[in-house]
Amino acid sequence: MHELGVVHRSITRAAPDDVAALAPYGTSTVHEAMGRLGLMRPYIRPVYPGAKLCGPAVTVLLQPGDNWMLHVAVEQLQPGDVLVAACTTECEDGFFGELLATSVRARGGVGLVIDGGCRDAEALEAMDFPVFSRAINSKGTVKATLGSVNVPVVCANALVTPGDVVVADVDGVVVVPASRAAEVAEASRKREDNEAAKRERLAAGELGLDMYSMRGPLEAAGLRYLD
């Protein structure tokens, strides 16, 4: 996190099977299944409706107003990877746009999460290239200051280690440590199965008050019904 001017070319990515097992589940499910951990701040939003991604992180530490290290990071991408970019201080400049997205896709990258700005939102949507950012901002950047690639970063309050699995959709972005990917995928599956059963009961008219056995605790807390 405090290393500048380095590129780590060898990282340990989550196993492909574990990434694939996580991919069907939404951010909310994964976050809950992991013990309500790993969630980025809610200001990180998709730049177009329907954007979603899941893949191992290649991390980038940027300097404010400078996207040099994003170009450096593209070379480190493997098919299925997600770029995760943090900045040494808050900055909403437009670090990323259509041309960089084209380069990322050519290397097999599947998207970007950035605690900063991006631009060319319409073109990104036309490409169906998912980007999750803190802002859409036309302001350009320079290429002058070294950051780092594949170091641990804090992106929107979430710690991201290179190779961790990043899951993002309209509900937000969650980071799953590579070592926990299989466990969290299984917990997500069980949670989805449980929710499917609950959905059927609620659709049939059963109240959450009864399904979750809330009446006794509510009475004990002093809730009264008045006619």
Side-chain angles (χ1 to χ4, degrees):
M1 237 176 299
H2 302 291
E3 267 186 307
L4 289 177
V6 297
V7 177
H8 292 277
R9 293 191 290 192
S10 298
I11 64 173
T12 302
R13 292 167 171 83
D17 287 350
D18 297 337
V19 176
L22 279 166
Y25 303 112
T27 298
S28 299
T29 295
V30 174
H31 166 62
E32 296 280 357
M34 196 164 54
R36 300 195 300 277
L37 297 171
L39 202 61
M40 290 190 185
R41 292 289 304 282
Y43 61 71
I44 302 294
R45 302 297 303 148
V47 301
Y48 61 86
K52 60 175 60 178
L53 58 79
C54 178
V58 166
T59 63
V60 189
L61 182 62
L62 300 168
Q63 299 282 5
D66 193 313
N67 78 344
W68 212 4
M69 300 310 292
L70 281 170
H71 289 270
V72 174
V74 170
E75 185 180 27
Q76 303 307 314
L77 290 169
Q78 294 184 8
D81 283 347
V82 175
L83 278 176
V84 179
C87 194
T88 58
T89 190
E90 290 188 4
C91 183
E92 296 181 346
D93 292 356
F95 290 93
F96 187 92
E98 175 191 6
L99 292 179
L100 262 171
T102 301
S103 184
V104 169
R105 177 161 281 168
R107 298 290 295 189
V110 298
L112 167 75
V113 177
I114 182 168
D115 195 357
C118 81
R119 56 188 187 176
D120 301 335
E122 187 174 22
L124 292 170
E125 182 173 12
M127 294 172 65
D128 194 22
F129 185 91
V131 173
F132 293 75
S133 69
R134 74 181 289 151
I136 295 174
N137 191 347
S138 292
K139 186 178 179 183
T141 56
V142 299
K143 297 167 180 62
T145 317
L146 290 179
S148 291
V149 174
N150 281 331
V151 298
V153 297
V154 175
C155 185
N157 284 29
L159 176 63
V160 189
T161 300
D164 288 348
V165 185
V166 181
V167 180
D169 59 24
V170 69
D171 287 331
V173 184
V174 66
V175 182
V176 181
S179 62
R180 296 192 62 193
E183 165 209 338
V184 173
E186 177 61 15
S188 297
R189 183 192 65 77
K190 290 178 179 178
R191 184 175 179 83
E192 287 272 298
D193 291 347
N194 185 42
E195 287 190 352
K198 290 177 180 177
R199 191 176 296 111
E200 289 183 7
R201 293 169 64 182
L202 291 169
E206 185 175 354
L207 293 172
L209 286 170
D210 298 312
M211 187 169 68
Y212 297 112
S213 302
M214 295 179 182
R215 295 190 186 276
L218 285 167
E219 183 180 358
L223 182 67
R224 296 180 296 147
Y225 288 85
L226 302 176
D227 295 322

